Amino acid sequence: MNSTTQARPYPNRRTLLKTAVSASIAAPLLGACVTSGGSDDSGAAAEGAPKTADNPLGVKADAPLEVVVFKGGYGDEYATRAEAQYAQKYPQAKIDHKGLQKVGEAMQPRFVAGNPPDVVDNTGAGRLDIATLVAAGQTGDLSDLLDAPALDQPGKKVRDTLLPGVVDDGTFGGKPVALNFTYTVWGLWYSKSFFAERGWQYPKTWAEMLTLCATIKKSGVAPWTYQGKYPEYLNDPLLSMAAKAGGLDLIKAVDNLEPGAWKQPGLVQAATAFAELAGKGYLLAGSEALSHTEAQAAWCQRKAAFIPCGSWLESEQKGVAPAGFDMVLGTVPAGGPSDRLPVTAVQAASSESFLVPTKATNPAGGREYLRILFSKASATAFAQANSTLPAVAGATDGLTLSSGLGSVRDAVTAAGADTFTYRFRTWYAPLAKAVDDATGELANKRISPADWSTRIQKAADALAKDTSVQKYTR
């Protein structure tokens, strides 16, 4: 579903860019956050070479290329491999690579000054708010990249090689402006070996979940923990349960800021279900104060049976999870028999967001670099190295997969067309923070499910009425 502009654009580019980093701080801590965006015209002045079968994007052979990559849990070797391949094709081009931890902090002044790099991996806790960049006209249109021939899949365009939803995830106002390299699936993680040892079966319904939690608690293990300092982790299964209850209509109502969207029965029921976890004492004591690394370490130590997280978890827990832990992802249990989506449906979206800025010096080179990065061979190498599903379809075919990555691939296969994602987190960072804060209060028994719904609806209504904020619909 492509987004379409609904309200007037932001009025002042410079003011927007100065606030882009602070706005992004309210966004999710990790790349689990689905980052995507929309665009303006791409800096055609720097193009310069005729487009041919061997050079479909018109790259000038000797034009320098600057690539900025978020050097997080995946490192940046996968990016430098693509740069090496670019250098083989264009040996006259000098490549400047920067692997950074705080992309937004480093890139904000360059966007403001009008001299951004040619490629930016806008990912990580301090990333720039993509909606702000879009409204300020700082993101280049990637349509020609998506329509270019795939590098190593004859007869296919780049867009034809991507998993469902990847193009939409990077689209604002009808224009694709970000291309996301990883494919994240959200669910509940557990140790397959631990469950087998205890004779526990993964639940398919929430009623079965509560029954299992009672059994787990009696054994002396906490049924759940979560990354309490970052309650967006708990939002993911809550919102997944709501989506299964209300279907795509519920998701669209939320994303489109419709009146009363957060008071839909599916959302209130899901909030009630997750309030039960706290009310029945099924959360590990002290989870509220845990960071993502602390909660995940406690889970790996078998102090808790379940933890909510995106599919980057296995890669992040390398060196922490003990041998034979065999972590696997399970889909969020069904809320009830009236659910509009099947239990196999999963929340999934692409992340690790690459963009070519409007004012890039070498935009054609930036898009060609992405064509190389998003090749099947590049994606396969990434999957092998990082135990993470890439956004390129078929990248894991023929590989012997780890327990976690295998379970993620199986979940996507089982879901088929029943994958879904919310867009409000990417479109409206302040609303995302309001939801996170409310869920943190809900999990700690400080507000009721009805209060949770009312509180978020108030924030959504205020945003809907704010004419200074550009709106998007799906």
Side-chain angles (χ1 to χ4, degrees), residues 254-295:
V254 165
D255 287 343
N256 293 345
L257 304 178
E258 292 182 9
W262 287 92
K263 292 183 175 293
Q264 293 175 93
L267 281 158
V268 177
Q269 291 165 10
T272 301
F274 278 78
E276 287 181 281
L277 294 177
K280 294 179 179 292
Y282 291 158
L283 297 176
L284 177 69
S287 289
E288 176 185 7
L290 298 181
S291 68
H292 63 294
T293 54
E294 292 167 338

Side-chain angles (χ1 to χ4, degrees), residues 436-453:
D436 296 344
D437 291 347
T439 297
E441 295 293 281
L442 178 74
N444 289 285
K445 299 183 286 188
R446 291 192 281 264
I447 61 174
S448 69
D451 293 336
W452 176 89
S453 173

Side-chain angles (χ1 to χ4, degrees), residues 4-346:
T4 55
T5 303
Q6 218 180 17
R8 66 184 175 90
Y10 288 112
N12 186 297
R13 167 187 165 275
R14 181 169 288 269
T15 300
L16 286 172
L17 290 172
K18 285 182 177 178
T19 60
V21 171
S22 59
S24 72
I25 291 172
L29 175 71
L30 301 172
C33 350
V34 181
T35 51
S36 51
S39 125
D40 239 271
D41 295 330
S42 55
E47 304 270 343
K51 297 182 179 181
T52 66
D54 291 332
N55 187 8
L57 296 170
V59 178
K60 188 177 179 182
D62 60 352
L65 179 73
E66 184 181 3
V67 180
V68 170
V69 175
F70 171 62
K71 194 172 182 178
Y74 302 135
D76 61 353
E77 185 180 351
Y78 73 99
T80 58
R81 281 196 302 264
E83 290 165 21
Q85 193 170 349
Y86 185 97
Q88 287 179 348
K89 187 172 183 179
Y90 301 105
Q92 295 174 278
K94 180 181 178 182
I95 298 177
D96 180 1
H97 170 89
K98 293 180 177 69
L100 305 177
Q101 294 286 326
K102 298 179 179 179
V103 173
E105 183 178 300
M107 292 299 103
Q108 180 199 16
R110 294 193 57 183
F111 274 95
V112 171
N115 65 339
D118 301 308
V119 179
V120 178
D121 172 15
N122 186 41
T123 304
R127 66 187 176 272
L128 291 162
D129 180 43
I130 186 68
T132 301
L133 291 177
V134 170
Q138 291 293 312
T139 48
D141 191 336
L142 300 180
S143 295
D144 59 346
L145 166 62
L146 293 171
D147 289 329
L151 192 72
D152 56 1
Q153 297 192 60
K156 290 187 177 181
K157 297 178 180 179
V158 171
R159 69 169 70 246
D160 300 329
T161 68
L162 304 174
L163 286 170
V166 173
V167 173
D168 288 342
D169 289 340
T171 298
F172 273 65
K175 290 183 180 179
V177 298
L179 198 53
N180 300 342
F181 189 61
T182 62
Y183 198 71
T184 301
V185 180
W186 286 269
L188 304 178
W189 288 82
Y190 63 101
S191 164
K192 189 174 181 180
S193 59
F194 189 28
F195 269 51
E197 176 186 310
R198 296 299 180 96
W200 299 333
Q201 296 292 322
Y202 189 84
K204 292 184 178 180
T205 68
W206 194 251
E208 291 176 3
M209 169 63 80
L210 294 178
T211 299
L212 177 58
C213 284
T215 300
I216 293 171
K217 186 177 180 181
K218 287 178 183 177
S219 75
V221 177
W224 282 59
T225 188
Y226 76 104
Q227 304 82 339
K229 288 185 177 180
Y230 312 108
E232 62 263 29
Y233 283 86
L234 200 59
N235 272 331
D236 295 325
L238 189 161
L239 294 178
S240 291
M241 180 178 286
K244 290 183 180 184
L248 298 182
D249 289 341
L250 179 146
I251 297 171
K252 289 180 183 179
V254 165
D255 287 343
N256 293 345
L257 304 178
E258 292 182 9
W262 287 92
K263 292 183 175 293
Q264 293 175 93
L267 281 158
V268 177
Q269 291 165 10
T272 301
F274 278 78
E276 287 181 281
L277 294 177
K280 294 179 179 292
Y282 291 158
L283 297 176
L284 177 69
S287 289
E288 176 185 7
L290 298 181
S291 68
H292 63 294
T293 54
E294 292 167 338
Q296 291 160 195
W299 172 70
C300 286
Q301 294 162 6
R302 295 185 168 186
K303 293 180 180 178
F306 293 105
I307 190 167
C309 199
S311 51
W312 63 81
L313 180 64
E314 185 178 40
S315 177
E316 203 164 63
Q317 294 309 103
K318 282 183 179 178
V320 179
F325 189 74
D326 291 339
M327 66 178 70
V328 291
L329 176 142
T331 57
V332 174
S338 62
D339 280 3
R340 294 177 63 182
L341 292 177
V343 68
T344 52
V346 293

Side-chain angles (χ1 to χ4, degrees), residues 348-402:
S350 54
S351 56
E352 201 78 16
S353 185
F354 285 82
L355 55 89
V356 176
T358 304
K359 294 184 179 295
T361 303
N362 183 12
R367 294 193 289 275
E368 176 65 14
Y369 169 78
L370 293 182
R371 192 169 76 103
I372 294 170
L373 182 67
F374 281 76
S375 67
K376 189 173 182 180
S378 168
T380 297
F382 175 85
Q384 288 176 307
N386 293 285
S387 297
T388 299
L389 194 66
V392 178
T396 59
D397 291 352
L399 298 182
T400 300
L401 303 181
S402 59

